Structures are given as structure tokens and as C-alpha cells.
């Protein structure tokens, strides 16, 4: 695998965003949060940008945020993307390991959560399998957003004291929805 450097950005930096923007739009051509929303998330202290860099070039990026409090503190991975030509090379797994180490060191969370498209296509199944290979547990609850056509399922990587997922996913979506609500709020 490539030798990579991991960086977390806590305040908006236009130059760094320009370095990772291509990968973001390549992986999420529609439905992704706008640059203005991402900038607002960082400026309000509710979101983080992360990047994996190889020889000065960004080859992976992620958008995350913290939800909950105390023993219920969780990291939401809102977006995770690897440069298309490098997918399948282990960089996504490397990014997850870096995110896990960062959030455990900085915030001591109880878990990492994501929402994954709940579909039956080969692409959907490959994404679910990627997360499962990296320790995430797929929950049974299927969530349907009013603004998006495809349904989603929550996945959780348990950390901290609890190494199990005692949830069908419905309460995880309460955290995810709360994160989205705050992310889209102007102030």
C-alpha cells in the first residue's frame, strides 16, 4: 500500500478544501453537502474534514461530526471517499483506522456510525461488505428520508466499553438525523 499521511482539519481552510474537493465530487456527484454547508459545519465546530495524502496529493477524504454526550458520544462518518483509480487498494481501510485512532484519542467515543444505502445492487452490497470487513455491524431498521429516493440502514462500529450493538438501528438514526439537522442549520 502507498505511504500516506493523515490530517484532520477543524477549521475551514480553502486551500486544503481545494486539494480534496475533486475526490469528494467524484465519489458523490449528487446529493452531497455543498461547500457552503461544509464550511459552516467546520466554522461552527460541528464537523471535521480529514484527508489521506500521498506525496503531496490528496488520495482520500472524509467528513465527520460528533453526536451525543458522555457515554453516548459517537462519531458520524458523513462521507468517506478514496480516489477512484485507487479504490480497492486498502486506502479506505487505512482511513478508517486513522479516523478511529483520532476520535478515540481526542474524544473517547463509544462508537462510529454511518448510514449506508440499503439496496440490492452489486455496488450497494460491495459498500456494505467494505464496512462489515472493517468491523461495522449492519442494523435491521431501514430508514426512508423524504428528500431522497433510496432507503438507508445504520451501521455501527462499537468502541469503548460496549463491544456490541444493542440496537436495531432506529436510535442510531436519531443521532444521524440530529447531526444532519444541525449541519444544515445556518447558525
Amino acid at each position: 500500500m502507498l505511504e500516506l499521511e493523515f490530517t484532520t482539519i477543524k477549521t475551514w481552510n480553502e486551500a486544503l478544501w481545494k486539494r480534496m474537493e475533486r475526490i469528494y465530487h467524484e465519489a458523490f456527484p449528487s446529493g452531497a453537502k455543498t461547500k457552503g454547508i461544509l464550511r459552516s459545519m467546520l466554522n461552527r465546530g460541528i464537523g471535521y474534514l480529514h484527508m489521506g495524502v500521498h506525496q503531496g496529493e490528496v488520495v482520500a477524504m472524509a467528513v465527520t461530526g460528533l453526536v451525543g454526550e458522555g457515554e453516548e458520544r459517537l462519531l458520524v462518518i458523513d462521507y468517506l471517499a478514496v480516489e477512484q483509480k485507487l479504490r480497492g487498494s486498502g486506502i479506505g481501510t487505512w482511513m478508517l483506522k486513522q479516523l478511529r485512532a483520532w476520535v478515540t484519542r481526542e474524544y473517547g467515543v463509544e462508537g462510529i456510525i454511518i448510514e449506508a444505502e440499503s439496496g440490492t445492487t452489486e455496488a450497494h452490497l460491495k459498500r456494505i461488505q467494505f464496512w462489515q470487513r472493517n468491523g461495522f455491524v449492519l442494523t435491521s431498521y431501514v430508514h426512508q428520508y423524504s428528500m431522497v429516493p433510496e432507503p438507508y440502514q445504520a451501521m455501527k462500529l462499537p468502541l469503548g466499553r460496549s463491544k456490541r450493538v444493542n440496537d436495531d438501528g432506529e436510535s442510531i438514526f436519531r443521532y444521524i438525523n440530529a447531526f444532519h439537522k444541525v449541519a444544515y442549520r445556518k447558525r
Side-chain angles (χ1 to χ4, degrees):
M1 193 179 92
L2 302 175
E3 193 171 308
L4 300 167
E5 175 189 334
F6 179 78
T7 303
T8 295
I9 303 151
K10 297 181 179 184
T11 56
W12 187 258
N13 181 311
E14 188 69 26
L16 291 177
W17 170 249
K18 286 194 180 304
R19 293 177 60 202
M20 67 179 79
E21 184 177 24
R22 177 185 51 80
I23 294 169
Y24 180 70
H25 290 298
E26 177 184 270
F28 309 103
S30 63
K33 289 178 175 66
T34 65
K35 176 175 126 176
I37 291 170
L38 295 174
R39 181 177 44 236
S40 175
M41 288 169 54
L42 269 67
N43 289 342
R44 291 182 292 135
I46 61 166
Y48 306 92
L49 290 175
H50 313 271
M51 58 185 187
V53 178
H54 173 68
Q55 296 180 347
E57 290 294 317
V58 176
V59 296
M61 60 83 58
V63 177
T64 65
L66 293 168
V67 294
E69 295 179 9
E71 290 187 21
E72 292 296 313
R73 193 91 188 240
L74 300 164
L75 179 74
V76 175
I77 297 177
D78 203 17
Y79 300 97
L80 174 70
V82 172
E83 188 171 2
Q84 192 165 4
K85 68 183 179 187
L86 296 173
R87 291 181 191 155
S89 67
I91 293 172
T93 295
W94 179 87
M95 280 292 287
L96 282 174
K97 286 179 182 171
Q98 302 309 307
L99 288 168
R100 180 180 179 167
W102 166 78
V103 77
T104 301
R105 182 180 63 251
E106 297 283 326
Y107 299 102
V109 300
E110 286 299 307
I112 301 173
I113 57 177
I114 63 148
E115 57 185 349
E117 291 176 12
S118 178
T120 56
T121 68
E122 183 70 25
H124 291 128
L125 297 175
K126 277 185 166 183
R127 279 194 285 273
I128 297 282
Q129 290 167 352
F130 165 78
W131 295 105
Q132 288 176 322
R133 275 194 316 272
N134 285 286
F136 283 76
V137 176
L138 182 65
T139 60
S140 60
Y141 172 74
V142 176
H143 185 78
Q144 182 66 59
Y145 290 105
S146 58
M147 307 296 267
V148 212
E150 61 274 341
Y152 285 83
Q153 282 178 272
M155 297 185 81
K156 181 178 181 182
L157 174 63
L159 303 171
R161 290 176 298 177
S162 173
K163 296 294 184 194
R164 297 192 349 241
V165 176
N166 301 324
D167 189 312
D168 68 355
E170 198 163 355
S171 72
I172 294 172
F173 267 101
R174 283 196 286 278
Y175 286 113
I176 292 169
N177 285 329
F179 172 72
H180 288 311
K181 187 176 180 179
V182 171
Y184 283 102
R185 193 178 305 145
K186 298 251 189 265
R187 299 226 177 262

